[in-house]
């Protein structure tokens, strides 16, 4: 099965089908504890530490036959495979913000992830008997960058638009182990897993101070 969007794996497996579309569901959260070590009338700069979690479930819909193996008829959008992934990592970084004018504020966070832990399960559904691979990896690295431009409608209420980039990866000696019926006991395959996410977002904020 081809790697799912947002996660990649390098292994010796043979690709037999190409899923033409995906259905994804993701969740994430960051915790942090920080301190501002530079502060002025219109700016502040600080450091923080915390924890990051990212989880995703992806379904592969339909397939295109490229070798002489079973596949679906054209237009058949049956779910042929799915991938569940979980990433955990500590994070340390810097944050800064400045008031560009009386109402416009620019803020940014940059975080380094010194260690990552990855858990995944890759389901192969287009088989006579469903099978899955257990995927494990840790000891990697990561980075998170975020910037937001905000406009204060009132003294306490603001709206903003921002951009975000996240990347996490494991070391090269992670593993993928088939642990479902019919393949228990097969040798572990060394692999490297990674994820990237980027995009824009809108937000609204209210300050109770």
């Amino acid at each position: 099965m081809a790697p799912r969007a947002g996660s990649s794996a390098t292994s010796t497996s043979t690709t037999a089908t190409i899923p033409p579309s995906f259905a994804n569901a993701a969740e994430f959260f960051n915790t942090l504890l920080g301190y501002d070590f530079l502060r002025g009338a219109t700016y502040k700069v600080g450091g923080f530490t915390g924890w990051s979690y990212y989880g995703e479930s992806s379904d592969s819909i339909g397939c295109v036959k490229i070798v002489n193996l079973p596949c679906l008829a054209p237009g058949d959008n049956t779910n042929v495979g799915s991938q569940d992934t979980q990433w955990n990592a500590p994070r340390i970084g810097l944050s800064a913000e400045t008031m560009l004018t009386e109402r416009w504020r620019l803020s940014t966070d940059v975080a380094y992830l010194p260690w990552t832990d990855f858990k995944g399960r890759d389901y192969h559904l287009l088989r006579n008997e469903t099978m899955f691979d257990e995927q494990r990896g840790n000891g990697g690295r990561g980075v998170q960058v975020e910037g937001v431009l905000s406009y204060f409608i009132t003294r306490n209420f603001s709206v903003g638009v921002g951009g975000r980039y996240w990347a996490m990866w494991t070391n090269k000696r992670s593993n993928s182990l088939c642990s479902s019926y019919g393949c228990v006991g097969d040798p572990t395959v060394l692999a490297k897993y990674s994820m990237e996410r980027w995009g824009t977002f809108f937000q609204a904020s209210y300050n109770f101070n």
Side-chain angles (χ1 to χ4, degrees):
M1 200 67 65
R4 306 297 185 269
S7 297
S8 64
T10 302
S11 68
T12 58
S13 61
T14 300
T15 300
T17 59
I18 302 176
S21 60
F22 304 95
N24 291 2
E27 60 181 3
F28 66 89
F29 68 81
N30 286 329
T31 63
L32 63 89
L33 177 65
Y35 175 76
D36 295 330
F37 52 81
L38 289 177
R39 182 182 287 268
T42 60
Y43 71 90
K44 62 180 179 180
V45 180
F48 62 85
T49 184
W51 194 264
S52 181
Y53 168 83
Y54 180 86
E56 181 180 33
S57 296
S58 305
D59 293 331
S60 301
I61 310 300
C63 67
V64 177
K65 188 173 182 179
I66 60 175
V67 295
N68 190 25
L69 289 175
C71 197
L72 301 176
D76 189 338
N77 291 324
T78 299
N79 184 1
V80 300
S82 62
Q83 172 79 39
D84 295 333
T85 61
Q86 293 182 337
W87 291 87
N88 281 278
R91 59 197 301 259
I92 54 175
L94 296 173
S95 63
E97 68 176 52
T98 183
M99 296 298 300
L100 303 176
T101 68
E102 183 178 349
R103 291 184 178 270
W104 289 96
R105 180 181 68 190
L106 180 64
S107 58
T108 184
D109 293 336
V110 178
Y112 172 64
L113 314 181
W115 178 87
T116 59
D117 179 75
F118 168 80
K119 294 180 180 179
R121 177 174 283 190
D122 180 15
Y123 294 92
H124 297 251
L125 305 180
L126 198 62
R127 307 288 179 92
N128 292 330
E129 295 179 345
T130 297
M131 61 166 287
F132 57 84
D133 290 335
E134 295 284 2
Q135 302 161 332
R136 296 290 185 270
N138 55 44
R141 301 290 186 270
V143 63
Q144 297 175 343
V145 180
E146 181 176 303
V148 182
L149 179 64
S150 302
Y151 178 78
F152 283 82
I153 298 176
T154 69
R155 180 182 178 87
N156 300 94
F157 180 69
S158 66
V159 294
V161 60
R164 177 185 294 130
Y165 173 78
W166 284 14
M168 288 182 274
W169 57 91
T170 66
N171 60 35
K172 294 181 179 180
R173 297 190 63 83
S174 304
N175 62 70
S176 176
L177 176 63
C178 183
S179 58
S180 55
Y181 178 80
C183 60
V184 174
D186 284 1
T188 298
V189 177
L190 296 180
K192 181 178 181 178
Y193 302 97
S194 64
M195 66 83 71
E196 286 187 288
R197 277 289 180 265
W198 61 87
T200 58
F201 59 89
F202 297 93
Q203 68 177 30
S205 176
Y206 186 86
N207 188 345
F208 289 94
N209 292 333

